[in-house]
Amino acid sequence: MSDLPGLQALLHHAYGLATATLTPLHLFPQPGRGVYRVDAPGQGSFVLRAYQQPLTAVAWLADSAAVLRFLEAADFPAPRVRRTNDGGLLGHHQGWSALLLTYIAGEMTSGALADFAQLGSLVARLHTLALAPAVPRSPLPFCRWQPQQKITDWLTQLQAVAPTVPTELHGLYTFSVEILSQLLQWPAMPTALLHADPNSFNTVRTVSNGVVLIDWDTAGIGPAILDLGYLLLTAHAVLPAWPQIEANAALITAIMQGYGAVRPLTQQEQQALPIAVCLNDAVWAAQAMPQVVGRAWRENRTLTRFGARYPSLKRIGQIAQSRL
């Protein structure tokens, strides 16, 4: 049974869009959830994120709405929330809950060095936004890498499976434990609003030649250096060898020049940069290994695709340090 009738009713009753056309943007259909482009004659185009769940069960939608409301108040380039008929940030009708955003017209950035320099500048600009005073009644969430209690939990899970880790995974296991342990020893780092998934696939170059960050689902407050570290890692996804990567000095230089021109790193952040580049892989390894150790771990696509790239990650951070 199609979800479209329910979504059409939601758009009509919650947003006053009676004649909208929906086009799926998700790659794999899942009943009861989806992402759609909405074209409403005379009112514009939007992106609908909808779930067949009560509002109380989709807290992440409220978090995304709070982040985007904050960005709108700061005049930062990002999608804007289309409010409901009664002025709410989230729509709800007949069991469906939704967040409706403006559609950003344009094309994905090309992956050229100039694009990454501009993306570095945009992420740095995000990190300079003042967090206080926050938007009233809409507290900003923590990003996906916070709070640090999760790191302690991941280390505990890794330690529990240490005796049964297969020889082929020893290097990745040691890497994950080392990175997470070092992160726990970090001094207090400057915090900011993080996008938490900054990469060229989440940027749109508009018809006016501006660049807009999209997909703020995991955004929130956290150490700013983690966003930069993740951008340095994911920038290599545009290279042909991905996910088997080697540090690309030109790409790293472009990002660091763009970022540093807007927000210079503190001395503590400079020292922490290689760890920040490694954090993403250390986290997914910590989450994946306890689930597959003792089972057919070679069937785990994440481990087989990305498990061998960790030796290159510190090198990316070291080159980035040398460009400060």
Side-chain angles (χ1 to χ4, degrees):
M1 181 177 178
S2 172
D3 289 336
L4 292 182
L7 296 176
Q8 293 279 9
L10 166 74
L11 290 169
H12 175 53
H13 289 278
Y15 295 97
L17 303 178
T19 58
T21 301
L22 283 78
T23 304
L25 296 177
H26 45 261
L27 296 177
F28 306 103
Q30 297 184 55
R33 61 185 301 174
V35 182
Y36 299 83
R37 174 170 172 166
V38 177
D39 293 296
Q43 299 198 55
S45 297
F46 307 91
V47 172
L48 176 72
R49 306 185 69 88
Y51 301 84
Q52 201 168 28
Q53 298 181 58
L55 287 174
T56 53
V58 287
W60 64 89
L61 287 181
D63 287 344
S64 293
V67 167
L68 292 168
R69 187 182 179 210
F70 174 85
L71 294 172
E72 182 176 6
D75 196 29
F76 186 87
R80 304 306 187 210
V81 177
R82 165 74 181 241
R83 290 184 177 268
T84 63
N85 293 334
D86 60 4
L89 295 174
L90 302 181
H92 185 72
H93 181 69
Q94 294 183 346
W96 282 96
S97 299
L99 179 63
L100 189 65
L101 308 175
T102 53
Y103 178 81
I104 306 300
E107 298 180 351
M108 191 190 324
T109 53
S110 67
L113 293 181
D115 290 332
F116 279 105
Q118 192 170 7
L119 180 53
S121 298
L122 188 61
V123 172
R125 178 182 166 191
L126 173 67
H127 295 168
T128 63
L129 298 180
L131 295 181
V135 178
R137 299 180 300 280
S138 296
L140 292 173
F142 286 114
C143 77
R144 60 176 173 156
W145 290 307
Q146 289 286 357
Q148 283 197 322
Q149 178 60 43
K150 291 182 180 178
I151 298 172
T152 302
D153 293 341
W154 290 325
L155 282 170
T156 300
Q157 293 168 10
L158 284 172
Q159 292 165 0
V161 299
T164 56
V165 173
T167 302
E168 297 95 325
L169 295 180
H170 278 177
L172 181 61
Y173 176 89
T174 301
F175 162 82
S176 184
V177 171
E178 174 191 344
I179 296 302
L180 295 177
S181 297
Q182 291 189 49
L183 192 67
L184 281 180
Q185 299 173 24
W186 271 6
M189 294 286 177
T191 58
L193 177 60
L194 277 59
H195 181 277
D197 193 12
N199 63 72
S200 61
F201 304 106
N202 281 335
T203 56
V204 175
R205 184 169 297 283
T206 66
V207 292
S208 60
N209 206 36
V211 173
V212 177
L213 272 169
I214 60 173
D215 196 357
W216 293 82
D217 286 358
T218 56
I221 297 174
I225 192 65
L226 297 183
D227 238 9
L228 177 58
Y230 187 76
L231 173 57
L232 289 164
L233 165 63
T234 58
H236 289 75
V238 303
L239 303 178
W242 178 267
Q244 304 304 319
I245 59 175
E246 292 186 5
N248 185 291
L251 201 57
I252 296 166
T253 300
I255 293 170
M256 295 303 296
Q257 288 179 342
Y259 190 96
V262 176
R263 180 185 179 271
L265 298 183
T266 67
Q267 184 175 4
Q268 289 177 333
E269 288 177 317
Q270 294 176 26
Q271 296 172 349
L273 190 51
I275 300 300
V277 174
C278 294
L279 176 64
N280 180 76
D281 282 35
V283 167
W284 70 249
Q287 293 173 324
M289 278 194 278
Q291 304 300 318
V292 300
V293 166
R295 302 178 179 87
W297 65 267
R298 290 182 180 84
E299 297 177 6
N300 183 284
R301 187 169 180 267
T302 301
L303 286 175
T304 55
R305 286 195 70 210
F306 300 104
R309 74 183 185 185
Y310 67 91
S312 301
L313 303 187
K314 285 187 179 179
R315 181 57 182 157
I316 293 174
Q318 291 166 353
I319 294 175
Q321 280 181 318
S322 72
R323 301 301 190 265
L324 295 169

